[in-house]
Amino acid sequence: MLATIRSATLVGVWGHPVFVEVHVANGLPTFTVVGLPDASCREARDRVRSAITSSRLEWPMHRVTVNLAPGDVHKAGAGLDFSIAIGLLIASGQLSGDAAEDVGFLGEVGLDGSIRSVPGALPLVDAIKANTVVVSADDVEVARLVAGGHVRAVRTLREAYEALAKNSPWPDLPLPPKSVATKESVDMADISGQPFARWGMEVAAAGGHHMLFVGPPGAGKTMLSRRLVGLLPDLTPDMALEATRVHSAAGLPLPAGGLITRPPMRAPHHSASMASLIGGTSKCRPGEASCATGGVLFLDELGEFAPSALDALRQPLEEGMIRVSRAKGTIEHPARFLLVAAMNPCPCGAGGETGCRCNSAAVTRYQRRLSGPFVDRLDIVIHVDCPDPADLLDVEGNECSARIAERVRQVRELSHDRGVNCNSELDGPQLEEHAPLSDAAVKVLRKALTDGRMTARGLRRVRSVARTIRDLDDGGERIRDIDVLAAMSLRSRPQRVIS
């Protein structure tokens, strides 16, 4: 007898529908899985056998063939276990042939018959083309985000069997957890001094502009960078779903309710490899850049990262997408993040000032770890000096993150009215429409281009930063020369860092 069950497999951060075909025929007892399964899929034979017998059901002593269609897509993971088990029960006659009609199944089976959650439940459920999807009780909240009310949850294979055999109703779904408002653990009020750096952070958050802090150790670069995510507004519904999809595919923990509503922050160590940053391992798992989608990617000690890993970020910084190409195909991962980085001006950190222990060769070698094309994609570069001792002791009157975040939210709303998430996404035609230049601003930009102090990419980025500065000021339509000069001052490259 033949049974066909709907399910899905994970490729990168996207789910692909899979039809699990189970055929039981006379012959010597064997169990064969075909259709490009990986080792974890082939091991389903032993897990499903133990689960069926532990659930007081009968294991067919016949020739069993399982085909995972389509045959040109590699199947990975244990998420197909549940559908294989149900297909086997139908093909062996223990369930009626129409018991699983227009029903999809997703989950890993335990040896005791339990149904367990699987990584990537959100994209997998979204890919299953069925009226009803049955998942583990631990995955029900994530499944609800894309399947709505057509979700059934079970904890054991026996519960699914009883419901499909109509011996008992489907178990009640667990109640959605109450949403709890989270409070940022760090606040801008903790930062004393650094007024220029604080203003640069506000511009970066409001316009989605990538930024770099450069300065000696102890100047506050890391403290500033870690507070940037607290200035960002809540994620839009589409961005929240995209961020949740990536975190689900990466196997990262999700908040109560399943949906990520606050911008995430990822801070990989400087020893991170290129594959860990952009993805592309054997299973095409999303990297740190993709996991920061909708939020902040913080690269501390930027000068210690491998140059090849930093240069691999050029494309996502420009396009918000990572294309991982391998012999087996090309996979696209979303990577729309706000980059904030921090580094010392030289290996010892003094940056040529009194007490610097670095010779010229060491400084040159350190500076060359950042390529020109990579730095050209950073909209804001700020040199952070050690604060004045009087500022460190004066902790009163520092503006908190909530007040800054309100101004950022208002600028983001203006960006949404222009058809983009933030001003950094404005392209050439949109800049001409939404960021027209005054005559004085044109003269300033023309001189910078003529002197070779700005590239064509830099021109577009300076205009978008100037648009953000004007939005934070009074929201006027035309970009003034003072807005352009302020944007260029934020983009200036200190000679102690980039020669």
Side-chain angles (χ1 to χ4, degrees):
M1 187 175 177
L2 176 67
T4 301
I5 307 298
R6 301 169 188 261
S7 190
T9 190
L10 193 65
V11 180
V13 300
W14 312 103
H16 285 253
V18 173
F19 292 93
V20 179
E21 300 173 338
V22 182
H23 185 258
V24 176
N26 293 328
L28 293 176
T30 59
F31 191 103
T32 306
V33 181
V34 298
L36 292 183
D38 71 346
S40 57
C41 282
R42 289 191 293 270
E43 292 169 352
R45 170 189 59 192
D46 301 311
R47 292 192 296 268
V48 170
R49 178 191 290 120
S50 297
I52 287 179
T53 55
S54 298
S55 301
R56 304 186 307 278
L57 299 170
E58 182 182 350
W59 176 262
M61 300 303 293
H62 298 283
R63 181 181 181 87
V64 178
T65 304
V66 177
N67 178 42
L68 308 178
D72 59 344
V73 176
H74 286 263
K75 318 321 187 286
L80 299 173
D81 289 2
F82 195 7
S83 55
I84 292 175
I86 297 298
L88 193 58
L89 294 176
I90 293 176
S92 61
Q94 300 179 64
L95 286 173
S96 63
D98 59 350
E101 185 176 356
D102 206 15
V103 180
F105 298 84
L106 179 67
E108 176 185 350
V109 298
L111 301 185
D112 58 351
S114 60
I115 305 299
R116 299 169 179 168
S117 63
V118 294
L122 188 146
L124 290 173
V125 171
D126 192 29
I128 297 177
K129 306 304 180 184
N131 184 58
T132 303
V133 180
V134 186
V135 299
S136 163
D138 295 331
D139 286 334
V140 65
E141 294 303 327
V142 175
R144 277 175 168 151
L145 298 177
V146 290
H150 304 288
V151 177
R152 298 290 182 267
V154 294
R155 297 192 178 277
T156 64
L157 180 61
R158 185 71 193 190
E159 287 182 355
Y161 170 81
E162 296 293 340
L164 292 172
K166 301 188 184 307
N167 296 330
S168 62
W170 288 102
D172 294 332
L173 295 178
L175 295 176
K178 295 182 179 179
S179 58
V180 179
T182 59
K183 183 179 180 180
E184 299 293 340
S185 58
V186 292
D187 196 282
M188 287 293 291
D190 304 331
I191 304 294
S192 298
Q194 307 295 3
F196 187 67
R198 292 169 65 99
W199 177 63
M201 285 185 59
E202 182 174 345
V203 174
H209 305 293
H210 308 301
M211 71 182 307
L212 168 64
F213 288 121
V214 183
K221 305 183 299 297
T222 301
M223 288 185 65
L224 287 163
S225 301
R226 291 192 176 278
R227 283 155 177 77
L228 180 59
V229 69
L231 306 182
L232 301 178
D234 290 342
L235 298 178
T236 62
D238 291 341
M239 184 58 71
L241 192 61
E242 186 173 67
T244 305
R245 177 189 298 275
V246 175
H247 279 234
S248 177
L252 298 176
L254 298 175
L259 187 66
I260 297 175
T261 57
R262 285 294 302 157
M265 181 173 182
R266 305 296 298 176
H269 190 260
H270 58 74
S271 62
S273 64
M274 182 192 301
S276 68
L277 279 178
I278 68 170
T281 58
S282 59
K283 295 184 179 180
C284 290
R285 181 183 181 275
E288 292 291 340
S290 295
C291 294
T293 293
V296 173
L297 177 64
F298 174 40
L299 302 183
D300 200 6
E301 302 297 343
L302 186 68
E304 302 299 331
F305 279 82
S308 58
L310 295 181
D311 286 337
L313 293 175
R314 294 185 197 176
Q315 180 191 12
L317 286 175
E318 195 78 16
E319 302 179 9
M321 182 69 67
I322 292 176
R323 296 178 182 87
V324 181
S325 297
R326 297 293 183 266
K328 297 178 181 178
T330 300
I331 297 176
E332 292 187 351
H333 292 162
R336 285 187 286 271
F337 57 85
L338 173 56
L339 174 67
V340 56
M343 64 178 291
N344 298 324
C346 67
C348 78
E353 302 293 343
T354 303
C356 181
R357 303 185 301 273
C358 304
N359 56 38
S360 58
V363 174
T364 301
R365 186 166 53 252
Y366 185 78
Q367 293 174 356
R368 285 180 177 174
R369 296 180 70 87
L370 303 185
S371 66
F374 173 79
V375 176
D376 197 43
R377 287 167 167 81
L378 303 178
D379 300 334
I380 300 174
V381 178
I382 297 178
H383 190 88
V384 182
D385 294 313
C386 291
D388 187 271
D391 293 333
L392 291 177
L393 298 176
D394 184 13
V395 296
E396 297 182 1
N398 295 332
E399 192 172 25
C400 64
S401 294
R403 294 182 61 183
I404 303 175
E406 177 59 24
R407 296 196 295 268
V408 169
R409 183 190 62 80
Q410 294 174 2
V411 174
R412 288 293 183 106
E413 289 181 354
L414 293 175
S415 300
H416 292 159
D417 295 338
R418 299 172 185 136
V420 294
N421 292 318
C422 53
N423 288 334
S424 63
E425 298 180 2
L426 293 172
D427 57 19
Q430 291 173 318
L431 283 173
E432 293 296 333
E433 179 182 357
H434 301 296
L437 298 171
S438 65
D439 294 338
V442 171
K443 291 180 180 179
V444 173
L445 291 174
R446 181 180 290 114
K447 180 172 176 52
L449 291 169
T450 303
D451 295 343
R453 293 183 288 116
M454 186 185 304
T455 64
R457 179 191 292 115
L459 172 63
R460 182 181 71 84
R461 292 184 175 274
V462 164
R463 290 187 66 175
S464 65
V465 174
R467 176 69 273 173
T468 302
I469 293 174
R470 187 66 194 270
D471 288 342
L472 286 170
D473 185 9
D474 57 10
E477 179 181 356
R478 189 168 294 275
I479 304 301
R480 305 163 297 186
D481 56 340
I482 58 173
D483 302 321
V484 172
L485 290 171
M488 293 174 63
S489 70
L490 287 173
R491 188 176 171 79
S492 62
R493 271 61 175 151
Q495 292 298 318
R496 287 173 287 182
V497 186
I498 303 299
S499 58

